Amino acid sequence: MNLILRLTVLVLVVLAGGCATLPGSVAQKPDRSAEAAVQPSPPQTISEPGAAAAPELPASALPKQIITENTPPPLIDLTAPPEDLWQRIRRGFGMPDLHDPLVAEHQSWYLNRPEMLRRIFERGRRYLYHIVEELETRGMPTELALLPMVESAFNPRAVSRARAMGLWQFIPSTGKTYNLDQNWWADERRDIIASTDAALTYLQKIYEMHGDWHLALASYNWGEGAVGRAIAKNQAKGLPTDYSSLTMPAETRNYVPKLQALKNIVAQPELFGIYLPPIPNRPYFETVAKPARIDVALAAHLAGISVEEFVALNPAYHRPVIDGNQAGEELLLPVEKIGTFLTNLERYEAEDKPLSNWKTHTLKRGETIAKVAARFKLSEARLRQINGITPRVRIHPGFTLLIPRPGSQAAENLAHALPEPPPLPKESATPSRKGKTVAARFKGKPTVTVKPSAKPAVRAKTKTPPNARTTKKKLQPKNPS
């Protein structure tokens, strides 16, 4: 009986306590700790010594970004092409970074010349999309799109002391090896499409030879034969054979650090206080069929662009008239000007107007510049200026002259925009004992083009880099017809 009474009392006490509330108490709100756990909160700060320690919280109550280790960066949708070409270039970076004190020196050098950097980036707008497209097609790292900044500052008219030309700075012999035509009318070492194709083909070959992009770049600047010998010398001494460990000329030693410095600036321009104007991720230029012969000034006029813009896209042509049989079959024009050019060209031809107001004249034996000028009612000084004949140029039978027809644009209006013709080899301008020039003896004979060897070992001994100096002169026939 006592046991039953005790149990009854205990049940009543429990029921009374569950229903009772203290005076002035408020009903408790539902626990929302689970919701709070998924809400972002500021990271915890470390308390100073002596401060009271914060109470430990259960793991479920901590913000997720704190309890998750090695949080990955935000995801980038690589299936959607970026609108800015610079971002596309950054995504394609694939070369290992070079950690060398020279990189910081060149970064400082570029950053202290912001106006120069601005001009380089502005010139590069015309060419970068095409170069990036070619690199991605070949599966090559997009850092190489910045290499013309090191080589030529994106100036297709750049000429070095070693007679290297164009965005990629090919010397004459290497240009011929990679089928870049060089003649009286044009020089494909300056051609945007042809020279880019040749440069990337060469870079691919020397990368396959070394298996290292830094050594490939050193070979591009110094020559793969020279780099191969430097590697062999280090191997014989038991030394490392990477780029930083090789003994090389100062120009080559600074070559990759310059590219790395530009890569760093392009990768994080805001870090260096540099503003990179966005470049639309779409083609800047397209090709259009080239007429049989057309004046540079007229082609620019029909496209509705300046002569300077036309020459920047078609820098291979260094005469005021473009011959239809030289340097490819196409002209490059801004995408938005293709329709304008074709429409105006059709109207112009329908009116039976000549596309060229220039003609060529070949010097005969006994003719002089003065006699030719008098015959065509020009001053000798004007004729020399039109044809770029300086006191260093030797005149000989077979020499080709451009003669303006009445109504042609004055040569002085084009002189500032046209690239300077490359100097003629001495062999082609020096008369022989029999009174014939070497060029005359080869007239009509085809030029032999040397194709790159398929064997790296042979190529390493014989190849020269695009911009290396050379002491050998090859006998090359010149046929300006």
Side-chain angles (χ1 to χ4, degrees):
M1 181 66 183
N2 291 337
L3 179 61
I4 295 174
L5 181 61
R6 290 178 183 176
L7 289 174
T8 302
V9 173
L10 180 61
V11 170
L12 291 174
V13 171
V14 170
L15 290 174
C19 297
T21 57
L22 295 175
S25 65
V26 181
Q28 298 294 316
K29 293 182 180 180
D31 183 11
R32 298 185 182 274
S33 60
E35 295 180 17
V38 298
Q39 298 297 323
S41 61
Q44 301 294 323
T45 56
I46 300 175
S47 59
E48 296 181 357
E56 288 190 4
L57 296 175
S60 60
L62 291 175
K64 286 189 176 182
Q65 63 265 37
I66 294 181
I67 63 174
T68 303
E69 296 182 0
N70 301 323
T71 303
L75 295 178
I76 299 176
D77 184 5
L78 297 178
T79 62
E83 295 182 0
D84 184 7
L85 186 60
W86 291 119
Q87 186 60 28
R88 181 179 176 184
I89 292 173
R90 294 182 192 110
R91 289 185 185 182
F93 284 168
M95 289 168 49
D97 288 332
L98 177 69
H99 303 287
D100 189 295
L102 289 172
V103 175
E105 291 184 20
H106 290 295
Q107 273 180 195
S108 177
W109 191 89
Y110 283 120
L111 293 171
N112 281 304
R113 292 160 176 80
E115 185 59 26
M116 182 199 71
L117 269 182
R118 186 196 64 79
R119 290 196 303 270
I120 293 175
F121 292 143
E122 181 62 27
R123 283 196 294 261
R125 294 175 66 90
R126 298 184 180 98
Y127 317 116
L128 272 170
Y129 180 88
H130 174 73
I131 296 173
V132 172
E133 280 279 296
E134 291 298 307
L135 287 169
E136 290 183 348
T137 299
R138 296 166 182 252
M140 301 171 72
T142 53
E143 291 98 322
L144 296 173
L146 310 178
L147 192 59
M149 296 185 186
V150 179
E151 287 287 349
S152 62
F154 269 124
N155 179 8
R157 298 172 59 178
V159 183
S160 76
R161 290 176 296 177
R163 294 197 298 152
M165 287 187 179
L167 293 180
W168 301 94
Q169 291 288 283
F170 278 92
I171 60 172
S173 59
T174 309
K176 288 184 174 68
T177 298
Y178 284 88
N179 301 322
L180 298 177
D181 194 17
Q182 302 156 52
N183 56 61
W184 191 85
W185 292 99
D187 194 323
E188 284 191 320
R189 290 179 293 161
R190 290 188 175 115
D191 185 275
I192 305 304
I193 293 179
S195 68
T196 297
D197 179 72
L200 300 191
T201 298
Y202 181 35
L203 283 165
Q204 278 183 306
K205 288 183 179 294
I206 50 183
Y207 172 73
E208 291 169 2
M209 179 183 300
H210 297 297
D212 181 286
W213 277 115
H214 294 161
L215 294 179
L217 289 167
S219 297
Y220 190 89
N221 178 260
W222 190 21
E224 65 264 36
V227 172
R229 289 189 292 272
I231 291 174
K233 186 181 295 185
N234 275 28
Q235 287 175 336
K237 296 179 180 178
L239 299 175
T241 58
D242 60 290
Y243 173 84
S244 298
S245 301
L246 299 182
T247 301
M248 57 183 67
E251 180 182 331
T252 309
R253 171 62 62 209
N254 286 273
Y255 191 69
V256 177
K258 287 180 182 179
L259 181 62
Q260 181 69 52
L262 289 166
K263 174 184 175 180
N264 294 346
I265 293 171
V266 169
Q268 293 182 294
E270 66 283 351
L271 184 65
F272 301 100
I274 294 291
Y275 173 69
L276 279 183
I279 301 178
N281 185 21
R282 58 178 181 268
Y284 183 90
F285 60 77
E286 285 185 3
T287 59
V288 63
K290 184 168 57 179
R293 182 176 287 193
I294 187 171
D295 290 354
V296 168
L298 178 60
H301 176 71
L302 294 179
I305 59 178
S306 66
V307 171
E308 289 79 8
E309 173 72 0
F310 181 85
V311 172
L313 291 175
N314 301 275
Y317 306 106
H318 44 243
R319 303 294 177 185
V321 58
I322 297 172
D323 187 72
N325 298 320
Q326 304 295 333
E329 302 296 329
E330 299 166 324
L331 296 175
L332 303 187
L333 295 174
V335 171
E336 67 275 11
K337 296 297 183 180
I338 294 291
T340 302
F341 177 81
L342 293 176
T343 300
N344 289 337
L345 178 63
E346 184 178 359
R347 291 176 181 172
Y348 199 86
E349 291 179 322
E351 295 174 2
D352 201 25
K353 294 180 180 179
L355 294 178
S356 177
N357 284 311
W358 299 80
K359 60 182 179 181
T360 56
H361 176 80
T362 302
L363 281 180
K364 301 178 179 62
R365 182 183 296 276
E367 276 190 322
T368 63
I369 297 294
K371 288 182 179 181
V372 174
R375 176 181 170 185
F376 291 101
K377 299 180 181 181
L378 297 168
S379 68
E380 181 179 355
R382 171 84 191 282
L383 187 58
R384 286 181 176 273
Q385 179 195 35
I386 290 171
N387 289 276
I389 300 174
T390 64
R392 299 181 61 182
V393 177
R394 298 182 182 181
I395 306 302
H396 55 80
F399 193 93
T400 300
L401 296 170
L402 272 179
I403 308 295
R405 291 190 176 100
S408 64
Q409 180 163 339
E412 52 268 23
N413 294 340
L414 288 174
H416 71 285
L418 289 174
E420 184 179 348
L424 294 173
K426 290 183 179 180
E427 290 85 351
S428 65
T430 305
S432 67
R433 294 180 181 178
K434 295 184 180 180
K436 294 183 179 180
T437 64
V438 174
R441 293 202 300 271
F442 280 93
K443 189 174 182 180
K445 297 182 180 180
T447 302
V448 178
T449 303
V450 181
K451 295 184 179 179
S453 169
K455 298 179 180 180
V458 175
R459 191 167 61 249
K461 294 180 180 178
T462 58
K463 257 305 268 93
T464 52
N467 52 1
R469 298 185 181 183
T470 179
T471 57
K472 295 182 180 180
K473 289 188 177 180
K474 296 176 70 176
L475 185 64
Q476 276 298 28
K478 285 284 181 180
N479 185 4
S481 59

